[in-house]
């Protein structure tokens, strides 16, 4: 039995978390949950959306499954997600994006691995008001973070039989910041002669992704481009409801979907738990519970392929609970 930190989050987080917990239990996952609340709902009681106990729990357990947490726009508290990634130095955000059998989209054969730098860039939160009408935000790029994220991408490519790593930037405009990112990428690429190395500007990448997504393999990007391009890629394979992710550091890993807290459908029993479930399946593989991971994966894909019970984002009319029960039936 392994203890895992579970952050049920807010918005649709608690609904999809309870779905995953139920499926894990019925499938026989050897997991004990250390449930840690975080986010907007606990500020009144604890004075912060990210109490130290959450960080301590992840440091102790080394592995967490996290549902989304809301970040207020414009003002209010800083992002819990960004704070978690920075505090635990979860420097690599790994977001696989592959067509799912049974989900019809405009594209076939999408199989892209997004490796997003997770600790710096414009997400470092270095902003200042110069005067009433002017604000400055700092795009922080370092050699250390750029080198290790590109190494992560190449190591992933080698371990997983991938052929190409493409570094994404806007180095024609952000000459110093993205220029440093590319310099690091070129240096790292020399250490991996067996993997093809390419470069592309982010605007051109977006255009090509919606024209010919099947030609891309592993993409490595600074934080902001990685965030935006991963939502684009989620759209290529059927939407945010099925897009999984993981934040990986040297000491710990936090598995979480790409999507946010979806306040527009909160509490309506229609959120798709697939993205969190797929993130949980990757987590089970990471802690070496591969058999049970495979069992859940097979049941999930069977449920999707049968198309009898699907949530509205996948074209169905079923509830989160019915979809969950159908997966359990298929285990
Ligand atoms: P969102 O990802 O929450 O929602 C975008 C659209 O996708 C909405 O129409 C939503 O209903 C739909 N959607 C998302 N997940 C779904 C699911 N599982 N099933 C069915 N439909 C789903 O993005 P939005 O609205 O921009 O952000 C809402 C909040 O989430 C914000 O406060 C944002 O900061 C936060 N957020 C948190 C993240 C995290 O915790 N890692 C990541 C992204 C956003």
């Amino acid at each position: 039995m392994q203890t895992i930190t579970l952050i049920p989050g807010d918005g649709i987080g608690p609904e999809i978390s309870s779905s995953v917990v139920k499926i894990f239990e019925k499938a026989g996952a050897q997991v004990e949950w250390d449930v840690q609340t975080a986010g907007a709902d606990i500020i009144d009681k604890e004075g912060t959306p990210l109490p130290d106990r959450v960080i301590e729990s992840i440091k102790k357990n080394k592995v967490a499954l996290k549902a989304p947490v809301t970040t207020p726009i414009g003002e209010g508290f800083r992002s819990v997600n960004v704070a978690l990634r920075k505090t635990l130095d979860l420097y690599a955000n790994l977001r696989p994006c592959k067509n799912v059998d049974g989900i019809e989209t405009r594209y076939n054969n999408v199989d892209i691995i997004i490796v997003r730098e997770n600790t710096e860039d414009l997400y470092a939160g270095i902003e200042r008001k110069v005067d009433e009408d002017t604000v400055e935000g700092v795009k922080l790029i370092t050699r250390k973070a750029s080198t290790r994220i590109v190494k992560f991408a190449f190591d992933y490519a080698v371990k997983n039989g991938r052929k190409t790593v493409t570094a994404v930037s806007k180095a024609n405009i952000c000459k110093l910041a993205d220029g440093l990112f590319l310099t690091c990428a070129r240096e790292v690429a020399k250490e991996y002669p067996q993997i093809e190395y390419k470069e592309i500007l982010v605007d051109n990448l977006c255009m090509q992704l919606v024209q010919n997504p099947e030609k891309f393999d592993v993409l490595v990007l600074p934080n902001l481009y990685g965030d935006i391009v991963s939502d684009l890629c989620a759209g290529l394979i059927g939407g945010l409801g099925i897009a999984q992710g993981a934040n990986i550091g040297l000491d710990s890993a936090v598995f979480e979907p790409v999507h946010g807290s979806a306040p527009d459908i909160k509490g309506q029993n229609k959120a798709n738990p697939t993205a969190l479930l797929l993130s949980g399946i990757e987590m089970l593989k990471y802690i070496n519970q591969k058999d049970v991971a495979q069992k859940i994966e097979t049941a999930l894909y069977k449920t999707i392929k049968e198309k009898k019970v699907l949530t509205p984002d996948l074209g169905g009319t079923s509830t989160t609970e019915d979809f969950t029960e159908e997966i359990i039936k298929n285990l």
Side-chain angles (χ1 to χ4, degrees):
M1 196 64 85
Q2 180 154 351
T3 307
I4 305 284
T5 302
L6 174 68
I7 303 172
D10 54 32
I12 58 168
E15 300 165 55
I16 56 175
S17 300
S18 96
S19 159
V20 170
V21 167
K22 221 166 162 184
I23 294 166
F24 269 39
E25 192 191 316
K26 298 284 181 194
Q30 295 300 299
V31 159
E32 207 169 57
W33 301 108
D34 175 5
V35 179
Q36 296 289 335
T37 49
D41 300 345
I42 62 158
I43 295 182
D44 281 351
K45 211 168 119 208
E46 302 195 45
T48 165
L50 183 60
D52 288 344
R53 60 173 169 74
V54 183
I55 304 282
E56 290 314 315
S57 163
I58 302 174
K59 279 189 178 160
K60 190 176 83 202
N61 298 323
K62 312 264 185 239
V63 184
L65 183 63
K66 178 187 160 296
V69 174
T70 304
T71 305
I73 293 176
E75 50 190 29
F77 61 86
R78 271 197 71 197
S79 166
V80 167
N81 309 306
V82 172
L84 257 185
R85 293 167 191 167
K86 275 193 78 171
T87 310
L88 295 165
D89 203 17
L90 302 167
Y91 68 94
N93 194 334
L94 181 65
R95 296 177 154 182
C97 213
K98 193 171 179 203
N99 278 117
V100 172
D101 208 10
I103 299 180
E104 277 151 38
T105 62
R106 290 188 176 86
Y107 308 93
N108 297 312
N109 307 321
V110 178
D111 186 4
I112 299 169
I113 302 293
I114 294 174
V115 178
R116 165 186 171 193
E117 201 290 321
N118 229 0
T119 61
E120 54 182 33
D121 197 354
L122 282 159
Y123 291 62
I126 309 170
E127 291 187 316
R128 77 178 185 112
K129 209 171 183 177
V130 178
D131 59 41
E132 267 319 299
D133 303 314
T134 316
V135 166
E136 282 178 352
V138 172
K139 181 175 168 75
L140 179 73
I141 300 283
T142 66
R143 185 179 296 277
K144 180 183 167 208
S146 304
T147 301
R148 70 179 177 175
I149 196 65
V150 180
K151 265 187 196 295
F152 183 97
F154 274 96
D155 285 339
Y156 182 95
V158 171
K159 269 191 222 135
N160 294 277
R162 295 283 177 154
K163 294 192 168 54
T164 309
V165 171
T166 304
V168 183
S169 79
K170 190 71 189 166
N172 53 334
I173 304 296
C174 305
K175 289 181 194 293
L176 286 180
D178 285 10
L180 176 59
F181 181 79
L182 275 193
T183 302
C184 297
R186 286 171 193 163
E187 277 165 16
V188 172
K190 287 186 205 145
E191 296 165 28
Y192 298 83
Q194 70 276 44
I195 304 288
E196 188 185 10
Y197 170 68
K198 289 185 181 169
E199 293 173 0
I200 192 166
L201 297 178
V202 66
D203 39 358
N204 182 16
L205 171 72
C206 290
M207 191 272 294
Q208 294 203 33
L209 277 172
V210 296
Q211 280 193 322
N212 302 108
E214 62 285 340
K215 70 180 195 190
F216 292 98
D217 191 351
V218 178
L219 301 175
V220 60
L221 314 89
N223 208 338
L224 177 65
Y225 310 142
D227 191 1
I228 296 168
V229 170
S230 23
D231 271 36
L232 190 162
C233 287
L236 300 175
I237 57 160
L240 285 165
I242 58 166
Q244 59 173 308
N247 303 286
I248 299 182
L250 292 179
D251 298 322
S252 45
V254 175
F255 292 79
E256 67 172 341
V258 172
H259 66 73
S261 56
D264 53 334
I265 55 167
K266 173 188 171 180
Q268 295 173 30
N269 198 10
K270 61 183 186 192
N272 185 352
T274 300
L276 184 66
L277 186 58
L278 285 170
S279 308
I281 289 169
E282 282 313 305
M283 185 201 79
L284 285 174
K285 292 179 191 165
Y286 180 85
I287 60 170
N288 260 324
Q289 296 193 23
K290 297 200 169 81
D291 289 350
V292 68
Q294 186 60 55
K295 185 171 164 188
I296 299 172
E297 199 168 41
T298 306
L300 168 67
Y301 288 138
K302 181 166 189 268
T303 307
I304 292 175
K305 203 171 169 191
E306 284 175 349
K307 294 189 183 168
K308 285 191 307 211
V309 182
L310 290 178
T311 46
D313 59 303
L314 296 182
T317 52
S318 302
T319 62
T320 310
E321 283 169 357
D322 290 342
F323 182 66
T324 305
E325 287 308 323
E326 191 66 16
I327 296 169
I328 290 169
K329 227 188 275 170
N330 282 329
L331 280 169

